[in-house]
Amino acid sequence: MTEPDASLPRHRPAFRTPSGYLEIPSGARAAIVQKARTLTSPVLSNLPGLVKGLGFRVAFAAALPERPTFMIMQTTVACNSRCRMCSIWKMVPENELALDEVVRVFKDPYLNKLRWLNLTGGEPFMRQNFAEIVKAAADNLPNLEIIAIPSNGFMPDRVEKVTRQMLEYLKGKDILLNVNISIDGIGEKHEEIRRIPGGFEKCLESLRRLQAIGKENPQLESGVEAIITALNVGEMRKIYEGLKDKTDHVNLTPAIISSYYLGNEQMASDVKLKAPDIAEMLGFLKEMEEKEPAYAYYFNNVRSIYLHGHRTFPCLMGWKSMYMNAEGDVFPCHLLGPDYKMGNVRDGPMEDLWEGAKAKSVRQRLKHEEFCAVCTNNCDLLNNLKEETWSFASYMLQHPQTFSRLLKEIKEKDHLRKYAGGRLKVKASKDAPPA
């Protein structure tokens, strides 16, 4: 058998073959290295989250503040839906932050580490200057990577018009715009839950238009979010299969009962999952772990919470994640009540609110809040993956096949770009207009 040439550098890559060693040509070697970088970049880009995660655990134990990297901002309480699992639509918009006040919030240097902004409602597209809020965020938050917007999709014309306007404001910026339509059933089931006649077709029309815009402009991604309640738990498979051919992104989240944000505590008898519902949901989510590697970590943790009675993945709300309602009140989380209010942005700079004595008292209480101990919400999940990577890394190490499928999907599917880390890099597309 031929031995390798001793003159070759020891580190030069070579394959062992039955007849000896075969050196990899330099061109092929470069291609292999590039392939490896492509596959591992989503992992390597999130490695700083391991270090940050250690810092978060120290801050959590001591109830110390950290600069927020994720904000949920309620833009308005106005809503054109009549959902059976929510009563925000009953609220009347009063004393909501004006555009100049929103601009001032985003200009606050304390928020310059924000990476992910979730603009919610009510129905956010009902806010008249909604696109200008997106512009204010993009112009003043230097590290912003993603703006995520949930919508009920009942105004296809306005959703399309405002989305195009937002993309115009985002042109030339490394910011991904994500708009997801809420659909909780197929056909009449969705309309039964949302109580808007003809609402299902309006949602599909909004989704179709968003998908079309996304083909023109890769800076937009869109999909569907479904809330699992006792009203539709038997329809989960129908929802998933009925919408998956329309968008790659179909996510399902168990309903949360929150007397403050959703005002749905009195509706619990109708929407809260009962024991048979929970069993059916957990079985379905187990199947989804195999089909949807991007959501497998979350689905696994939801199952664990229901089975073991306590939250099994970290929550950064109150530390690196925050909520501000339409009137400017700041909370650690949108699901907690007025007792957890830290202050109002009209009263002073964000640093004073987030690091003040009241905020510290709130953090001490959060560590023992029973609601938090069993919360299944995924509101700051992406921030969790970026800023406290230990739990996610542990899951993927225990499920290497899921991890491999996730890497493959990140490479192949646009709707998973947000998992890849780093700034937005728009992929070249033969359908994309020239720059």
Side-chain angles (χ1 to χ4, degrees):
M1 181 176 291
T2 307
E3 291 300 320
D5 188 340
S7 66
L8 293 177
R10 287 182 177 271
H11 65 270
R12 180 168 293 180
F15 289 132
R16 184 73 181 265
T17 69
S19 59
Y21 285 85
L22 175 65
E23 183 184 351
I24 304 174
S26 59
R29 203 161 61 235
I32 291 171
V33 169
Q34 181 59 39
K35 178 73 171 177
R37 285 175 178 165
T38 301
L39 290 175
T40 58
S41 61
V43 184
L44 296 178
S45 64
N46 288 328
L47 287 181
L50 296 174
V51 177
K52 295 175 184 178
L54 294 176
F56 163 73
R57 293 177 185 222
V58 171
F60 181 86
L64 297 173
E66 293 200 271
R67 298 273 291 273
T69 51
F70 169 54
M71 174 192 277
I72 300 174
M73 176 184 171
Q74 184 183 50
T75 58
T76 182
V77 298
C79 188
N80 57 338
S81 186
R82 299 294 181 266
C83 303
R84 291 176 62 182
M85 66 287 194
C86 171
S87 62
I88 293 179
W89 56 270
K90 296 179 181 179
M91 300 178 184
V92 178
E94 293 179 335
N95 199 32
E96 296 185 340
L97 293 177
L99 180 61
D100 65 311
E101 292 177 301
V102 173
V103 172
R104 189 162 61 247
V105 169
F106 291 150
K107 283 185 174 181
D108 191 318
Y110 193 72
L111 296 180
N112 64 12
K113 287 190 175 183
L114 278 184
R115 300 172 67 183
W116 188 18
L117 180 65
N118 187 318
L119 298 176
T120 184
E123 167 53 42
F125 282 95
M126 289 193 71
R127 170 116 186 187
Q128 290 305 306
N129 51 13
F130 185 48
E132 284 67 35
I133 290 178
V134 168
K135 182 179 187 299
D139 288 347
N140 294 289
L141 298 172
N143 288 296
L144 191 62
E145 296 178 19
I146 301 172
I147 299 176
I149 302 167
S151 172
N152 60 38
F154 292 148
M155 302 181 293
D157 290 343
R158 180 156 178 80
V159 167
E160 178 181 8
K161 177 183 177 181
V162 175
T163 298
R164 290 187 182 278
Q165 191 175 358
M166 291 188 291
L167 288 169
E168 190 65 27
Y169 287 145
L170 294 176
K171 186 180 293 184
K173 299 182 184 293
D174 292 338
I175 298 174
L176 179 67
L177 181 65
N178 177 277
V179 182
N180 286 325
I181 303 299
S182 299
I183 300 180
D184 300 320
I186 302 300
E188 292 181 358
K189 173 58 70 173
H190 180 64
E191 294 168 13
E192 173 192 328
I193 294 172
R194 298 276 171 163
R195 294 189 287 201
I196 298 296
F200 180 69
E201 283 303 322
K202 291 176 183 177
C203 289
L204 290 186
E205 180 61 21
S206 290
L207 181 62
R208 280 192 288 265
R209 296 190 190 189
L210 290 170
Q211 296 275 292
I213 297 171
K215 289 180 180 178
E216 300 170 8
N217 189 336
Q219 202 164 357
L220 173 71
E221 65 175 32
S222 59
V224 169
E225 297 281 340
I227 303 298
I228 305 172
T229 68
L231 302 170
N232 67 354
V233 67
E235 307 258 331
M236 289 180 295
R237 191 179 310 281
K238 190 175 180 181
I239 294 169
Y240 178 79
E241 294 176 353
L243 297 172
K244 192 65 178 176
D245 65 337
K246 296 175 175 58
T247 172
D248 284 324
H249 176 96
V250 180
N251 188 32
L252 300 99
T253 306
I256 299 288
I257 304 300
S258 167
S259 59
Y260 169 64
Y261 177 68
L262 299 171
N264 63 359
E265 197 170 39
Q266 72 276 17
M267 307 172 185
S269 59
D270 287 337
V271 303
K272 190 174 183 179
L273 297 166
K274 318 299 189 297
D277 301 329
I278 292 171
E280 183 173 2
M281 177 187 72
L282 297 187
F284 180 74
L285 293 184
K286 176 62 176 174
E287 290 182 36
M288 289 297 98
E289 279 189 59
E290 304 299 323
K291 292 183 178 179
E292 296 286 351
Y295 314 122
Y297 166 72
Y298 171 64
F299 292 153
N300 179 269
N301 277 287
V302 169
R303 293 175 57 247
S304 180
I305 292 171
Y306 275 99
L307 292 173
H308 302 295
H310 61 87
R311 186 174 172 114
T312 49
F313 64 107
C315 177
L316 278 61
M317 301 302 288
W319 276 265
K320 290 194 168 189
S321 302
M322 67 187 305
Y323 168 65
M324 183 177 72
N325 72 12
E327 297 176 19
D329 293 329
V330 174
F331 297 82
C333 170
H334 61 300
L335 298 173
L336 298 173
D339 290 346
Y340 282 91
K341 177 181 170 180
M342 294 176 169
N344 189 284
V345 294
R346 287 169 169 149
D347 298 333
M350 188 65 74
E351 182 175 5
D352 292 351
L353 298 181
W354 199 245
E355 298 193 4
K358 191 170 184 180
K360 183 172 182 178
S361 173
V362 164
R363 290 188 186 92
Q364 290 284 10
R365 291 164 53 207
L366 279 177
K367 295 192 291 183
H368 309 288
E369 172 58 53
E370 292 182 3
F371 180 92
C372 300
V374 294
C375 178
T376 58
N377 213 29
N378 63 350
C379 50
D380 76 333
L381 187 63
L382 187 59
N383 197 39
N384 190 311
L385 302 185
K386 306 287 186 182
E387 300 289 330
E388 212 292 7
T389 312
W390 287 97
S391 177
F392 176 75
S394 174
Y395 173 80
M396 288 301 174
L397 286 173
Q398 296 174 61
H399 300 82
Q401 291 183 333
T402 298
F403 186 45
S404 177
R405 295 202 313 275
L406 176 60
L407 290 177
K408 185 173 184 290
E409 288 205 6
I410 287 174
K411 181 175 180 292
E412 295 176 353
K413 297 189 177 181
D414 285 345
H415 79 290
L416 297 181
R417 283 176 289 169
K418 55 182 173 287
Y419 287 87
R423 307 295 283 172
L424 170 68
K425 300 299 180 187
V426 176
K427 295 195 306 184
S429 169
K430 65 181 181 180
D431 299 320

